[in-house]
Amino acid sequence: MNKKTYWPIGIIGIIIVGIIFIVLIIYASTKQPIETNSNYGLSKDYVDHNINKMLKMQYAFEKSYHVYGGSLDGSEVGYDRLKTPYFSVDQRSFEHIGRKFDEKLHHSILTSSDDVIYLKLEPQTKTPAVKIESIYLKLSRIDTNIDLDYDMLQDKTNPNIYTIAVKDLTKLGRYDGVFTIKYKLDGKEHYITYQKTFYHNEEF
């Protein structure tokens, strides 16, 4: 009488279990959000495929304007030159990596009495080809769900300066600011973003 062997059933069982695991992994991965590029806020796949076009638009914009952001530093506004996203430091990294040690940096402190954020556009030509349409600011508080949106206002005495008072900061600490500039170039509408970190502190 022949002995019964169960190893073929075991092999088939292992294959079935493996297939189930693969299907579950694929299903779980499709439910995960697409990882975004920390500088552009777009999917990494989109940035990888369009980076040449995006860089070309950045260079074209900066032929017209250099961008500075800041807040009140004593009686004057402390401005820092903002970098285009490709050259910005990852928000999870130390803020000033790669900058020159002798470059003057401002901490951009926001308090209840000095809570105005400034953005300055410095023209690089007498008649910039870029036409600014609007500037939008998003402030995000690290490790919270706080996202604050503002439409920045053009200064009445200097059209190259935009400001916004941010009186609704409920938590102290670091906020990541992303400025989105809507503009027209050669009759077409474009957007460009710049980043700057702000700190909401108590009065001192």
Side-chain angles (χ1 to χ4, degrees):
M1 187 172 177
N2 294 332
K3 265 188 171 182
K4 289 185 178 180
T5 56
Y6 295 97
W7 62 267
I9 297 174
I11 293 173
I12 293 172
I14 291 172
I15 292 173
I16 292 172
V17 170
I19 292 172
I20 292 172
F21 271 115
I22 291 171
V23 170
L24 290 175
I25 290 170
I26 292 172
Y27 177 79
S29 64
T30 59
K31 294 298 181 182
Q32 295 297 319
I34 297 173
E35 189 176 1
T36 59
N37 178 283
S38 59
N39 286 332
Y40 289 96
L42 301 169
S43 74
K44 288 190 174 182
D45 183 65
Y46 181 88
V47 174
D48 287 343
H49 284 85
N50 295 276
I51 190 62
N52 288 341
K53 180 181 178 181
M54 295 166 79
L55 287 175
K56 184 178 178 181
M57 294 309 303
Q58 288 176 192
Y59 294 141
F61 181 89
E62 294 211 327
K63 284 182 179 178
S64 288
Y65 290 104
H66 287 172
V67 180
Y68 296 81
S71 62
L72 282 176
D73 186 0
S75 59
E76 298 182 354
V77 180
Y79 284 111
D80 288 323
R81 167 83 183 275
L82 305 187
K83 308 295 184 183
T84 48
Y86 187 76
F87 299 104
S88 293
V89 178
D90 192 300
Q91 291 180 2
R92 293 166 294 183
S93 304
F94 183 64
E95 182 186 1
H96 302 313
I97 289 176
R99 292 195 179 189
K100 296 178 181 179
F101 289 107
D102 60 351
E103 182 180 350
K104 183 180 179 183
L105 298 172
H106 299 88
H107 292 296
S108 294
I109 303 297
L110 303 172
T111 64
S112 58
S113 60
D114 296 331
D115 56 2
V116 179
I117 291 177
Y118 296 80
L119 193 76
K120 179 173 70 174
L121 303 173
E122 186 177 88
Q124 298 303 296
T125 63
K126 289 184 178 180
T127 54
V130 164
K131 305 301 179 186
I132 305 297
E133 295 202 322
S134 60
I135 299 178
Y136 166 88
L137 170 64
K138 177 183 282 291
L139 283 181
S140 300
R141 177 74 174 86
I142 301 299
D143 299 328
T144 71
N145 293 323
I146 296 177
D147 283 315
L148 303 170
D149 301 324
Y150 306 94
D151 291 318
M152 299 197 72
L153 306 175
Q154 192 173 32
D155 189 89
K156 293 179 179 179
T157 59
N158 187 339
N160 290 324
I161 293 179
Y162 290 74
T163 64
I164 191 67
V166 289
K167 297 181 179 296
D168 44 359
L169 302 180
T170 56
K171 286 183 176 289
L172 299 177
R174 170 179 165 173
Y175 287 79
D176 283 334
V178 177
F179 299 94
T180 300
I181 301 175
K182 179 182 175 183
Y183 67 96
K184 278 191 175 180
L185 179 63
D186 299 329
K188 295 181 180 179
E189 191 174 274
H190 303 283
Y191 295 85
I192 189 168
T193 60
Y194 289 85
Q195 297 180 12
K196 181 166 178 58
T197 299
F198 296 89
Y199 298 90
H200 182 216
N201 284 10
E202 294 177 341
E203 300 284 350
F204 55 87

